[in-house]
């Protein structure tokens, strides 16, 4: 039996995670985000704080976004990412799912998940709208603080993606659909992605 996977890569403040979860709910698919890291750590049979300095040394949820593989050394980060890759491939081969981030679009293409069973989405939004989302959706009231977080997280995601894929984070190399989340309410954006998935997967 073939399973379908939707990968979602997103700019910070674009509501990408919220939209991705809505897509998963619409389709009845499983949803995976930061929990992939925890699965990877469990596979490595270690303690999450000890292995990746994940919770103990990162000050806030936004700091965690700036360190996708924690603050460990390069060898530990690479080991975690290799484990994440194997977990993402296993998920894509064994269940219908939505996977957010982690270079999942690149990873699943490189591991030969059939294109017919994969929809790779990139969610972006104008910076003004993302700053607004930081205030109303992420509760970052200070405009200067919101801008600083946005710039830092965008850079961290771009660097992470470039490091592991050798491609530009905002490019179209591994993407089927690139969508501006500011065009409508997040549920309507999720509906566009859902409808696209149904067309692509023939469901």
């Amino acid at each position: 039996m073939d399973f379908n996977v939707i990968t979602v890569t997103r700019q910070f403040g674009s509501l990408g995670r919220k939209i991705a979860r809505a897509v998963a709910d619409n389709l009845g698919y499983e949803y995976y985000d930061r929990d992939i890291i925890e699965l990877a750590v469990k596979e490595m049979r270690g303690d999450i704080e000890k292995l990746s300095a994940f919770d103990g040394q990162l000050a806030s949820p936004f700091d965690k976004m700036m360190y996708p593989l924690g603050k460990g050394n390069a060898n530990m980060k690479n080991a975690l990412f290799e484990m994440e890759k194997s977990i993402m491939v296993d998920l894509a081969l064994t269940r219908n799912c939505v996977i957010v981030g982690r270079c999942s679009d690149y990873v699943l293409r490189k591991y030969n998940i059939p294109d017919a069973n994969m929809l790779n989405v990139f969610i972006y939004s104008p910076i003004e709208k993302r700053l607004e989302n930081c205030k109303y959706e992420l509760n970052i009231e200070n405009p200067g603080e919101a801008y600083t977080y946005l710039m830092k997280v965008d850079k961290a995601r771009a660097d992470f993606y470039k490091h592991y894929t050798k491609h530009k984070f905002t490019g179209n190399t591994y993407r089927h659909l690139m969508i501006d989340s500011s065009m409508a309410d997040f549920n309507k954006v999720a509906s566009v992605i859902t409808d696209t998935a149904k067309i692509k997967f023939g469901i």
Side-chain angles (χ1 to χ4, degrees):
M1 177 180 178
D2 290 331
F3 294 94
N4 301 319
V5 57
I6 299 170
T7 72
V8 176
T9 308
R10 76 284 184 217
Q11 289 184 320
F12 179 64
S14 66
L15 304 184
R17 181 181 285 106
K18 187 174 183 179
I19 292 167
R21 189 176 288 278
V23 171
D25 289 344
N26 289 346
L27 293 168
Y29 284 12
E30 295 187 26
Y31 172 89
Y32 294 94
D33 192 349
R34 286 186 62 82
D35 39 5
I36 292 174
I37 277 281
E38 297 189 21
L39 289 171
V41 172
K42 287 177 182 178
E43 288 291 326
M44 293 174 76
R45 296 179 181 168
D47 181 283
I48 195 165
E49 285 89 352
K50 185 187 295 183
L51 278 174
S52 61
F54 230 52
D55 294 322
Q57 296 181 27
L58 302 184
S60 76
F62 305 106
D63 290 329
K64 293 179 183 181
M65 295 178 197
M66 286 183 261
Y67 303 97
L69 294 173
K71 284 187 174 180
N73 61 40
N75 288 337
M76 180 55 64
K77 290 179 181 180
N78 288 336
L80 275 170
F81 187 67
E82 287 301 314
M83 186 59 68
E84 282 188 348
K85 288 198 295 187
S86 67
I87 289 170
M88 286 188 282
V89 172
D90 180 67
L91 292 173
L93 290 173
T94 59
R95 66 206 70 189
N96 294 320
C97 58
V98 175
I99 300 176
V100 177
R102 309 295 161 189
C103 306
S104 51
D105 51 359
Y106 166 83
V107 168
L108 298 182
R109 279 284 185 92
K110 298 299 283 187
Y111 277 80
N112 297 318
I113 300 301
D115 185 75
N117 299 109
M118 181 165 51
L119 175 66
N120 296 331
V121 180
F122 183 79
I123 299 175
Y124 64 96
S125 187
I127 190 169
E128 296 81 8
K129 185 62 176 178
R130 293 194 287 140
L131 287 171
E132 183 182 319
N133 290 336
C134 284
K135 178 178 180 180
Y136 295 107
E137 297 284 343
L138 303 175
N139 299 315
I140 306 177
E141 295 289 338
N142 185 294
E145 183 182 3
Y147 183 81
T148 297
Y149 272 131
L150 190 150
M151 290 293 103
K152 286 183 176 180
V153 175
D154 271 359
K155 183 178 186 305
R157 289 180 179 171
D159 290 348
F160 178 79
Y161 194 85
K162 182 73 172 179
H163 177 74
Y164 286 106
T165 73
K166 311 305 180 191
H167 290 280
K168 188 177 179 181
F169 177 68
T170 55
N172 63 2
T173 304
Y174 295 103
R175 282 76 192 258
H176 298 106
L177 176 66
M178 302 180 76
I179 188 166
D180 181 353
S181 62
S182 71
M183 70 177 191
D185 170 83
F186 84 94
N187 276 312
K188 292 181 180 177
V189 176
S191 293
V192 171
I193 298 172
T194 301
D195 289 343
T196 304
K198 287 179 179 179
I199 292 169
K200 191 169 194 301
F201 299 150
I203 56 177

